[in-house]
Amino acid sequence: MRNQQSQPIIGLMSTSKKVNNLKIAIRAGHSLDIRGASGIVDEVTEDRKITAKVIEYLRVNGHSVLDVTPTYSGSSGRDLSIPINKANAWGADYFVSNHLNGSNGEGYGAEVLYKSATGQVYAQRIVNKIAALGFTNRGAKADERGLYEFNHANMINNIIEPFFVDNAADVALYNKVGFNG
């Protein structure tokens, strides 16, 4: 594995304060049968690449990590409940759901969603690290939609949306600084 500076996407989960031995449950967006956003790149394909590297990074840095991404879920409801149920049963300290945004090609930038005060702290740190890579900082945003993951997780959690899959500039920047670049 290359160092953190040459793999900036992997360092997104790091914080300024060293915390070891967290139990982190991580989800790579959607299952293969309940697809997410698609555009210049595909959310499901890229989320899985990013999440695999984030898991590797977190483990190297002393955390226990459980990948709760369902391969197939059969429905939108199960696509959401399977990862949360696994994270809750495992007793995770933190749950992160990696996604990619989509719009009409005009949306751009990074945002991280949260529900709790601690989730807000993590969200701000993460979105600032993504913005430091060159993505527009859309901010840490409170969940105003009552998203399933926030209402059913028994731990601190965030939903990370680092860029838009259908924005040419965002995708070009991802290809430049992404986990392989």
Side-chain angles (χ1 to χ4, degrees):
M1 182 171 182
R2 295 181 296 190
N3 68 39
Q4 184 177 348
Q5 287 184 350
S6 66
Q7 291 199 23
I9 292 291
I10 296 170
L12 297 179
M13 297 296 300
S14 67
T15 63
S16 59
K17 187 161 61 168
K18 184 77 171 163
V19 180
N20 286 321
N21 301 322
L22 285 177
K23 290 177 72 174
I24 301 172
I26 189 166
R27 173 183 181 221
H30 303 272
S31 62
L32 296 175
D33 58 337
I34 307 297
R35 307 295 292 196
S38 186
I40 302 165
V41 295
D42 178 73
E43 178 178 12
V44 171
T45 301
E46 298 310 313
D47 273 343
R48 278 168 167 64
K49 292 176 187 177
I50 293 167
T51 299
K53 291 297 184 177
V54 171
I55 290 170
E56 183 180 340
Y57 173 85
L58 291 170
R59 286 181 175 152
V60 165
N61 283 280
H63 302 290
S64 298
V65 183
L66 178 65
D67 185 348
V68 296
T69 307
T71 304
Y72 294 97
S73 59
S75 71
S76 294
R78 288 183 42 78
D79 199 48
L80 294 166
S81 66
I82 290 169
I84 291 297
N85 291 343
K86 286 181 179 180
N88 287 340
W90 188 52
D93 300 308
Y94 179 56
F95 175 83
V96 61
S97 189
N98 289 326
H99 287 269
L100 298 175
N101 248 328
S103 66
N104 59 1
E106 295 184 22
Y108 58 91
E111 62 191 23
V112 180
L113 306 175
Y114 67 89
K115 183 171 183 178
S116 69
T118 304
Q120 181 179 13
V121 171
Y122 287 11
Q124 192 62 60
R125 288 177 181 165
I126 294 166
V127 78
N128 288 347
K129 287 188 174 284
I130 297 169
L133 301 173
F135 294 99
T136 297
N137 190 336
R138 296 169 56 95
K141 296 184 176 182
D143 172 37
E144 296 177 349
R145 297 181 284 172
L147 296 172
Y148 184 93
E149 291 171 322
F150 291 120
N151 290 321
H152 292 86
N154 297 333
M155 71 287 303
I156 300 160
N157 55 62
N158 292 116
I159 297 173
I160 302 173
E161 303 263 13
F163 67 92
F164 281 75
V165 299
D166 53 4
N167 180 281
D170 271 10
V171 172
L173 183 56
Y174 166 69
N175 286 331
K176 178 180 175 189
V177 301
F179 74 95
N180 275 333

